[in-house]
Each structure stands twice: as C-alpha cells, then as structure tokens.
C-alpha cells in the first residue's frame, strides 16, 4: 500500500479492496520544487458489459471543508487537506451529461465521480477502455503560491507525456 501523510491509499473494485502496484515519480525541482511525493497507479480491467466502479481512496480520511474538486481539461481531480498538507488525486476523464441526457464527452467512454475520501471511475455497460490510472501528489506545507503544484503533479495526462513508458 502507498502511505501518504493523509493516510494509506486504497484501491477498490466494486467496493472491494484490491492489490495494486504504484510507481514513484520524480518531483522535478524545476517543475515541482515543493512537492514531497508523487505517484502513479495503473490498473487494467477488461470490461464485461456490466457497470463497475474503480476507486482510489484515502483510508480513514475525515473530510475537511477545504477539500475541493479541481478538474481541468481531460482531468478529474480532487484535493484533500489536513493541517499544512495538501494531497491531490487525479484521474483521466471529462465526464458529465447535457440536460438532454447525452454524454458531454466523446473522448472517454466511462464516467468519473468524486467521493468524500477519494475519486472513482464508473465503468459503464458500453465502456471499452481497459486501462485506468490515478496520479497522486502532495505538498507540505502548502501555500497560496505553491499549492498548484499538486494539481500539476497529479495530472495523469501530464505524467504520460513525461514518461512514455506509461503509454496507453
């Protein structure tokens, strides 16, 4: 298990904890001078035509009023705070629905959701994607000037660009 300052990271498939591997990433001083940790988790799952969830959670996290959704283009991300520590968990996605019920994204064939203690992929009955990634970054202490580094450091797409070994 990956241990962070806010607690252990657990990965759940349909609410059942599963084993996972993670990769420690460089906190490049030119890009992320204040980051204390940065990790990448890649999971493979062959869809079976049924709805499933794949969650990344901070075990035992007590929600904080500062916890916040910080999404971006092709990025669904939530940040969590405790004391002087900020931790962000990012996943690939751009989900949502228009008022008529059609999907807002034609790039991704799954949905994303935000949880009080983490984030989640929702594999739909029509999903064909077989790879799901989470990126985690934290900083202590965070300030108004440096806290953007967790957002940038927990962007899975940016990590893929940095490390071609994580190709889809």
């Amino acid at each position: 298990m990956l241990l962070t300052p806010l607690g252990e990271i657990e990965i759940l498939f349909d609410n059942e904890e599963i084993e996972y591997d993670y990769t420690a990433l460089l906190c490049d001083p030119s890009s992320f001078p204040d980051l204390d940790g940065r990790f990448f988790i890649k999971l493979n799952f062959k869809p079976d035509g049924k709805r499933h969830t794949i969650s990344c959670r901070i075990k035992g996290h007590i929600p904080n009023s500062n916890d916040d959704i910080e999404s971006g283009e092709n990025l669904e991300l939530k940040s969590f705070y405790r004391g002087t520590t900020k931790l962000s968990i990012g996943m690939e996605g751009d989900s949502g629905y228009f008022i008529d019920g059609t999907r807002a994204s034609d790039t991704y064939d799954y949905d994303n959701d935000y949880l009080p203690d983490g984030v989640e992929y929702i594999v739909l009955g029509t999903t064909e994607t077989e790879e799901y990634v989470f990126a985690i970054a934290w900083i202590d202490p965070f300030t108004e000037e440096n806290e953007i580094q967790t957002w940038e450091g927990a962007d899975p797409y940016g990590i893929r660009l940095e490390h071609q070994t994580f190709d889809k």
Side-chain angles (χ1 to χ4, degrees):
M1 287 235 165
L2 173 58
L3 184 59
T4 75
L6 297 190
E8 289 182 34
I9 298 296
E10 58 183 359
I11 303 295
L12 297 99
F13 181 81
D14 290 341
N15 293 316
E16 295 290 328
E17 192 170 351
I18 62 170
E19 299 267 331
Y20 65 92
D21 292 319
Y22 59 88
T23 302
L25 301 175
L26 177 66
C27 295
D28 179 8
S30 63
S31 301
F32 312 110
D34 301 319
L35 281 188
D36 295 306
R38 189 167 177 239
F39 294 85
F40 188 80
I41 298 169
K42 181 172 79 169
L43 303 165
N44 293 305
F45 169 69
K46 187 167 176 72
D48 59 6
K50 297 176 185 171
R51 184 183 189 281
H52 296 282
T53 58
I54 303 170
S55 310
C56 179
R57 296 181 170 194
I58 306 166
K59 193 173 193 172
H61 176 69
I62 298 169
N64 181 308
S65 62
N66 293 325
D67 293 354
D68 198 17
I69 295 168
E70 300 182 84
S71 60
E73 187 174 344
N74 299 318
L75 171 65
E76 300 294 338
L77 181 141
K78 186 168 181 182
S79 292
F80 304 88
Y81 296 82
R82 186 172 66 210
T84 59
T85 303
K86 177 184 179 186
L87 180 145
S88 298
I89 304 175
M91 57 185 164
E92 292 182 348
D94 195 13
S95 57
Y97 289 84
F98 294 114
I99 198 154
D100 67 359
T102 58
R103 289 180 53 78
S105 175
D106 58 358
T107 304
Y108 300 99
D109 61 357
Y110 51 79
D111 284 340
N112 305 88
D113 200 8
Y114 297 102
L115 308 169
D117 58 354
V119 297
E120 179 172 77
Y121 286 102
I122 301 169
V123 179
L124 306 170
T126 56
T127 298
E128 294 180 7
T129 298
E130 295 184 10
E131 183 179 281
Y132 302 87
V133 296
F134 298 101
I136 300 162
W138 67 83
I139 194 167
D140 186 6
F142 72 89
T143 65
E144 195 172 307
E145 292 78 29
N146 72 8
E147 72 173 330
I148 189 71
Q149 292 178 41
T150 64
W151 185 83
E152 294 168 339
D155 179 353
Y157 184 76
I159 292 169
R160 287 184 191 277
L161 291 177
E162 289 174 39
H163 303 275
Q164 296 304 313
T165 58
F166 298 127
D167 287 345
K168 275 189 162 181

